[in-house]
Amino acid sequence: QHLADLLMRENFTVIGMGKGACRLPFSPDGRFRYYTADIRYEYEVHDIFLQEQPDVVVHAAAMTQVDECELNPALCEETNVNGTAHLLTNSELFSGHFIYVSTDFVFDGATGMYAEEDDLNPVNFYGFTKMQAESLAATSEIPFAIIRTCLVYGRALSGSRSNIITWVKDNLQAGKNIKVVNDQWRTPTYVKDLAKGILLVIRQKSKGIFHLSGAEKMTPFMMANTVADYFKFDKTLIEEVTAATFSQPARRPPKTGFVIDKAKSLLGYQPCTFQEGLADTFAGSIS
């Protein structure tokens, strides 16, 4: 949503694709068109590419619920791997630049603060399919960029999809107790920074792998406390726990987070601080 909004404000024409009705808060006009399609079915993808012939493809579609991927591996593979193959095949025919949005979950989380060239070793099926899709992009016959990101937060322009900080705010505001892990480290990414980073890749026709995230290393527990401080909520409602507290089908990498020096130096990427991202999410104080 934020990327589409940014691209249109930068005078790009945006062709949206998604399962089901359009959830983007934009009316169809000369700069925005939307198609209902399921990337698991190549013919649906092909018909749209044949008609629109986009200059740039940003592939951000995926089955991302980690536990659901573990429990439904066939569906996960159909979506994340086969769907990527369908988009790549048609991008090679009709487009000039393919940008694939990937994840920190391609790493095992043994060390954290990963650079682009570090070895991949996913610990769950979701991460495995994203690694497979990265490999497809890297061996395709089209100029490509792989953008890995990490724990994206922010507010949706429309709809009700939540993320960690909106979930924390809503629960604390309602006076509900929450359990938040303290043993998983990430570099949280503000959604508008991710959109701006993708725009930089588009404008510069950049190729290769880029890590786009925030610069601060935090745990979800630290993030929850920062949200509570911002709103002056009761922090005693936040219970500090470990990942072992939860019974989850899929393992999570304990320590990820990114080194973003390459994106800063080659793209000019400059993320905001977590405090600034939090303020903009809830108060619109940053453009």
Side-chain angles (χ1 to χ4, degrees), residues 1 8-9 27 32 37 41 49 51 91 105 116 130 132 144 150 155 195 214 220 242 249 275:
Q1 292 183 4
M8 283 189 285
R9 286 193 282 112
S27 299
F32 176 69
Y41 306 117
F49 273 66
Q51 180 168 335
S91 295
F105 276 32
E116 285 83 353
K130 297 294 282 187
Q132 286 182 298
F144 75 92
C150 179
R155 183 174 290 277
T242 67
Q275 192 72 36

Side-chain angles (χ1 to χ4, degrees), residues 105-170:
F105 276 32
V106 296
F107 297 106
D108 59 20
T111 59
M113 300 310 291
Y114 292 99
E116 285 83 353
E117 63 274 11
D118 287 335
D119 292 337
L120 309 186
N121 186 33
V123 297
N124 54 51
F125 195 74
Y126 164 68
F128 178 68
T129 61
K130 297 294 282 187
M131 179 181 71
Q132 286 182 298
E134 283 192 16
S135 179
L136 290 175
T139 56
S140 65
E141 297 179 359
I142 185 173
F144 75 92
I146 293 168
I147 294 174
R148 297 191 188 120
T149 193
C150 179
L151 192 57
V152 178
Y153 68 92
R155 183 174 290 277
L157 297 180
S158 68
S160 58
R161 185 168 181 172
S162 66
N163 54 77
I164 182 169
I165 66 167
T166 56
W167 174 79
V168 168
K169 184 220 176 224
D170 291 345

Side-chain angles (χ1 to χ4, degrees), residues 31-246:
R31 287 192 299 145
F32 176 69
R33 296 185 289 281
Y34 180 83
Y35 294 88
T36 297
D38 188 330
I39 62 171
R40 293 180 298 161
Y41 306 117
E42 194 276 336
Y43 66 90
E44 293 188 16
V45 174
H46 178 76
D47 288 348
I48 297 167
F49 273 66
L50 178 64
Q51 180 168 335
E52 294 289 354
Q53 304 196 15
D55 297 304
V56 180
V57 175
V58 180
H59 174 23
M63 184 174 173
T64 60
Q65 299 300 321
V66 180
D67 292 328
E68 287 297 316
C69 290
E70 206 73 18
L71 294 171
N72 300 283
L75 178 61
C76 179
E77 186 170 30
E78 283 180 26
T79 305
N80 294 356
V81 183
N82 297 353
T84 299
H86 298 155
L87 288 164
L88 272 166
T89 298
N90 285 280
S91 295
E92 289 172 344
L93 290 172
F94 300 112
S95 303
H97 193 192
F98 186 87
I99 300 169
Y100 178 61
V101 181
S102 191
T103 172
D104 57 322
F105 276 32
V106 296
F107 297 106
D108 59 20
T111 59
M113 300 310 291
Y114 292 99
E116 285 83 353
E117 63 274 11
D118 287 335
D119 292 337
L120 309 186
N121 186 33
V123 297
N124 54 51
F125 195 74
Y126 164 68
F128 178 68
T129 61
K130 297 294 282 187
M131 179 181 71
Q132 286 182 298
E134 283 192 16
S135 179
L136 290 175
T139 56
S140 65
E141 297 179 359
I142 185 173
F144 75 92
I146 293 168
I147 294 174
R148 297 191 188 120
T149 193
C150 179
L151 192 57
V152 178
Y153 68 92
R155 183 174 290 277
L157 297 180
S158 68
S160 58
R161 185 168 181 172
S162 66
N163 54 77
I164 182 169
I165 66 167
T166 56
W167 174 79
V168 168
K169 184 220 176 224
D170 291 345
N171 279 276
L172 295 183
Q173 192 169 32
K176 297 180 180 178
N177 291 286
I178 58 174
K179 295 180 179 182
V180 188
V181 297
N182 69 348
D183 60 346
Q184 294 178 355
W185 291 87
R186 307 286 186 255
T187 46
T189 311
Y190 184 42
V191 64
K192 288 186 180 179
D193 284 336
L194 178 57
K196 290 174 183 177
I198 294 172
L199 176 62
L200 290 169
V201 170
I202 292 170
R203 285 208 178 279
Q204 298 173 35
K205 296 181 172 61
S206 301
K207 294 179 285 186
I209 302 173
F210 296 93
H211 284 179
L212 299 184
S213 76
E216 296 157 281
K217 188 177 176 182
M218 304 179 74
T219 67
F221 181 72
M222 293 167 63
M223 296 172 69
N225 275 276
T226 305
V227 172
D229 287 337
Y230 180 82
F231 287 103
K232 297 180 171 56
F233 290 145
D234 181 4
K235 291 201 287 187
T236 64
L237 295 170
I238 307 171
E239 181 182 350
E240 183 178 5
V241 299
T242 67
T245 304
F246 304 101

